[in-house]
Amino acid sequence: VQLQASGGGLVQAGDSLRLSCAASGRTFTSYVTAWFRQAPGKERELIATISKGGGSKHYADGVTRFTISRDSAKNSVYLQMNNLKPEDTAVYYCAERAGFNLYATDGYEYWGQGTLVTVSS
């Protein structure tokens, strides 16, 4: 599976941004797609996950301004980020794992290259 994340950039606090993750080469029939982020000097953290069909989603504790969605026709997953704050500055990664577990924070076999989001105050 190849994952291509895009949509990052430099924005001001309070702005919105939508990240995209385009997938290709997928061979497994059931899978979960996730968005992670890694801020400077911090560990990578899970933001949200979404099922193959898009009908089931899971958000990490405290995630209220972000929305994950899927467009299966475009083989893409999105992360809508609203009211961005400087503490949202990070490299954002999409990742996939086979199976149905929306709550797993590890075991992701495939990763995109990351897209940098920088939020200025």
Side-chain angles (χ1 to χ4, degrees):
V1 180
Q2 291 78 46
L3 301 174
Q4 180 74 35
S6 61
L10 173 62
V11 297
Q12 293 186 335
D15 285 352
S16 296
L17 204 59
R18 189 178 82 154
L19 305 182
S20 299
C21 176
S24 62
R26 189 183 288 128
T27 59
F28 34 85
T29 57
S30 61
Y31 51 89
V32 169
T33 309
W35 282 101
F36 290 80
R37 70 182 181 185
Q38 186 165 21
K42 295 187 177 181
E43 293 188 353
R44 187 168 56 200
E45 60 179 352
L46 176 68
I47 301 170
T49 60
I50 189 166
S51 62
K52 171 186 176 182
S56 297
K57 304 174 186 179
H58 165 70
Y59 294 93
D61 288 345
V63 175
T64 58
R65 296 177 287 110
F66 297 176
T67 302
I68 192 170
S69 62
R70 182 188 295 281
D71 185 336
S72 296
K74 296 182 178 180
N75 282 324
S76 293
V77 170
Y78 307 98
L79 186 68
Q80 177 68 41
M81 305 186 295
N82 297 327
N83 190 23
L84 284 161
K85 304 177 183 300
E87 51 264 39
D88 295 319
T89 294
V91 178
Y92 286 71
Y93 299 90
C94 56
E96 280 198 354
R97 56 173 288 159
F100 303 94
N101 190 349
L102 290 170
Y103 304 97
T105 57
D106 57 10
Y108 285 85
E109 303 156 277
Y110 305 100
W111 292 83
Q113 84 287 4
T115 185
L116 176 63
V117 173
T118 303
V119 184
S120 63
S121 58

